[in-house]
Amino acid sequence: MEAPLATSTKEKRRSVIRFLSSEAVKPNEIHGRRKLQYGDACLSLQQVYEWTGKFMNGISSVTDCPRPGQAHPVVTPEGIAAVEAIVKENGRVTVNEIARSADHTEK
């Protein structure tokens, strides 16, 4: 029995779908073959259909696209120092108060 490939990345797993779909392998068969190799770490049949559809419609990237509304955290030494100063000044300050004061300093 072959060992499952549970340590591979999602990009590598999607690459398998891309390769097999380029050879006109049906999503059901792709899912079955992947289930043998990846075991419980396998994508669902629905996800295999979605990725096969993307690849058949010309999408070639196997990475996730950035989604609108996702937070882009920016941590800088200056920001850390500013928050530390606010907390030292008032130990009972709330997160919302810190956020409001940060909004005022950026503008």
Side-chain angles (χ1 to χ4, degrees), residues 43-95:
L43 291 173
S44 69
L45 179 59
Q46 179 181 354
Q47 290 172 316
V48 172
Y49 268 99
E50 288 173 11
W51 280 102
T52 301
K54 288 179 183 182
F55 298 136
M56 289 298 151
N57 287 322
I59 303 288
S60 60
S61 176
V62 294
T63 59
D64 290 323
C65 296
R67 290 173 265 164
Q70 271 186 319
H72 298 283
V74 178
V75 179
T76 63
E78 297 83 16
I80 294 170
V83 170
E84 286 176 347
I86 293 169
V87 172
K88 284 180 183 175
E89 183 181 309
N90 177 6
R92 296 180 147 245
V93 68
T94 66
V95 173

